[in-house]
Each structure stands twice: as structure tokens, then as C-alpha cells.
Amino acid sequence: TWTAPHQSDLPLLAHLLDKFDDVNVVDVGCSYGLTSLQYARFLDSFGVQPKVFAFDPGKAGRLAPLNFVNNGYADIQFNDCAVSDVNGHVLMYLEHGHGENNRIINRRSTPFSRSWPVKSVTLDRFLDEHDVAGDVFLKIDTQGAEFEVLNGALRTRQERCVAGVLEFSPWSLKSRIDPVDFLKSLIDEFIVIHIGVLRDQLRLLDPQGCAEYVAELRSSPKNYTDLLFFPPSLPGVERLRTIYGI
């Protein structure tokens, strides 16, 4: 069984369902499948046939398909591969005892770590090859590979409405891009809202405050957070701003 996490991302998904005829939920880094189940059940409550695509090539992900079946959502499409900016293979890293902490970046060399090759696909190619039409609600929780996931979805972001939620961890990003630059590029394209680890701390982010925000996050106990993002051109965006109090 499962319990829904804090649900500040669901008003955004509801808004997309209201404004678009065809919405796909893409859960990158689904782990045990709890968020995929949350989204599928939410779509069900709208009378919409759930179109949920879940990705996780790690240890925890092996339990996701069983979780979907046991909870009555066998139609969730599980994909045993990574999503990144590479079509081919990447290395997956893991520490023993932390099956949920799978990642394709930032290897830690310890006696308790291991790595192995896994299949990888860009979101652009996956949607094309599987003839997935429509707009995208995108959830990314990849222990720091959010940068690569978005880079592999450039055409999707240009041609469709893409909105969703992602984990933002400065220490995980800094090996490939300055976290401040990553955040600024995100804000250049989307309205970005800090929603906190518990998704209960709404705060609109702006380009001028990025460096201060990253420094604040780095000094916090968790050192990571969740960010909600949606395009400023989204139909009915002012209503969505009102819902989130921004």
C-alpha cells in the first residue's frame, strides 16, 4: 500500500488536466513507485485514463512494477532505464544499504559502493519512439542528474507544454554546472517556486536572488529542496499564481 506525500504539485497537475486534452505524467527516478501511484490515482479521480511513465534502473525500481500491480495500477508503464542526455548506456552508482540512492553522476569510491552499466534514453527520443503525443507533467528526482534529464528534453520543451517538479541539490549539480547558473537558466524558461522538502514552504524565485538562495540552501540541514516549475505562457497562468499565492 502507499500514502500520498505532501501535495503542492497536484494543483499544477490539475491545472494541466483542465487546460490540455492530453497530459502525460513522466516520473523520472520513481524509486519504489510511490509518486507514480500518487499521480495515477489523481488522474483516476479526474476520470482520466492514467498515462504514467515511470523510470528507474536501480535496485529500488525493481519493486515498482509489483507495487503498481498490488495497488491496482498495472497500466503504469515502467521502464527499467535511466533518463539523461545520452541514448545508449551510462553507469549507475549505488552504496550498499541505500538501495534508494541510485544515481548516474557523482560516483563515491568506497568499499561499500558499486557500479554497473544501465540503459539510458533521452526524453526526446523516448516520446518519439513510443509515439507519446500530448503535453508533459515531469517529475525528476535523480540524486543530482536533473541537469542531464532536462538537457535530453530540449525539443520536448520547445514543442510541448512541460511543467512539473524537480529536486534541486547544489552539491549534486556542482560537478557539471554551477548551481546558480542552473537555477538562472531554469528561471529564464519557467516560473519557479521553492516548495521545500516537505512541500509546505511556497516561495517564488527570481534571477537576482539565485546566488543568495543557493547559499542559503547549502547551509541548510538538508542541503536540497523541491522546486515547482511551469512556463509563463501556460494558459490560465494567473489563476495558477493565485492558487500558489505568488
Side-chain angles (χ1 to χ4, degrees), residues 2-17:
W2 67 283
T3 56
H6 293 266
Q7 298 181 337
S8 56
D9 51 343
L10 296 187
L12 174 57
L13 179 53
H15 188 83
L16 296 180
L17 293 171

Side-chain angles (χ1 to χ4, degrees), residues 124 150-151 153-160 162 189-190:
D124 285 343
L150 289 173
N151 277 350
L154 290 175
R155 184 160 42 81
T156 300
R157 286 154 49 196
Q158 292 168 355
E159 298 176 356
R160 314 183 191 213
V162 176
E189 184 175 351
F190 301 102

Side-chain angles (χ1 to χ4, degrees), residues 55-77:
F55 296 83
D56 201 305
K59 295 292 186 181
R62 295 179 183 179
L63 295 175
L66 297 175
N67 204 0
F68 300 154
V69 171
N70 288 343
N71 284 277
Y73 286 96
D75 288 342
I76 294 176
Q77 184 183 126

Side-chain angles (χ1 to χ4, degrees), residues 65-131:
L66 297 175
N67 204 0
F68 300 154
V69 171
N70 288 343
N71 284 277
Y73 286 96
D75 288 342
I76 294 176
Q77 184 183 126
F78 177 74
N79 301 275
D80 182 18
C81 67
V83 177
S84 71
D85 53 0
V86 172
N87 290 302
H89 289 80
V90 294
L91 280 178
M92 171 68 69
Y93 306 117
L94 171 71
E95 283 88 39
H96 290 300
H98 295 279
E100 77 291 344
N101 191 23
N102 306 291
R103 59 194 183 280
I104 60 173
I105 42 84
N106 297 333
R107 179 180 183 180
R108 294 176 186 169
S109 183
T110 74
F112 303 103
S113 64
R114 59 172 296 200
S115 61
W116 67 98
V118 298
K119 290 181 180 179
S120 173
V121 67
T122 65
L123 190 56
D124 285 343
R125 175 173 288 188
F126 178 85
L127 296 177
D128 281 351
E129 290 186 346
H130 291 78
D131 295 320

Side-chain angles (χ1 to χ4, degrees), residues 205-237:
L205 301 184
D206 66 86
Q208 290 72 33
C210 284
E212 181 181 353
Y213 175 75
V214 169
E216 176 187 327
L217 195 57
R218 278 174 164 159
S219 64
S220 69
K222 290 290 187 180
N223 199 15
Y224 67 92
T225 190
D226 286 336
L227 302 177
L228 202 69
F229 63 94
F230 50 89
S233 59
L234 181 65
V237 70

Side-chain angles (χ1 to χ4, degrees), residues 153-229:
L154 290 175
R155 184 160 42 81
T156 300
R157 286 154 49 196
Q158 292 168 355
E159 298 176 356
R160 314 183 191 213
C161 175
V162 176
V165 61
L166 60 82
E167 185 177 84
F168 177 63
S169 173
W171 73 266
S172 297
L173 287 165
K174 68 180 182 180
S175 60
R176 286 102 59 233
I177 185 174
D178 185 323
V180 174
D181 291 339
F182 173 81
L183 189 56
K184 285 182 177 179
S185 67
L186 197 65
I187 294 173
D188 282 344
E189 184 175 351
F190 301 102
I191 295 170
V192 180
I193 305 173
H194 163 93
I195 56 177
V197 177
L198 297 178
R199 304 193 178 187
D200 59 356
Q201 306 167 9
L202 302 183
R203 171 179 166 190
L204 179 66
L205 301 184
D206 66 86
Q208 290 72 33
C210 284
E212 181 181 353
Y213 175 75
V214 169
E216 176 187 327
L217 195 57
R218 278 174 164 159
S219 64
S220 69
K222 290 290 187 180
N223 199 15
Y224 67 92
T225 190
D226 286 336
L227 302 177
L228 202 69
F229 63 94

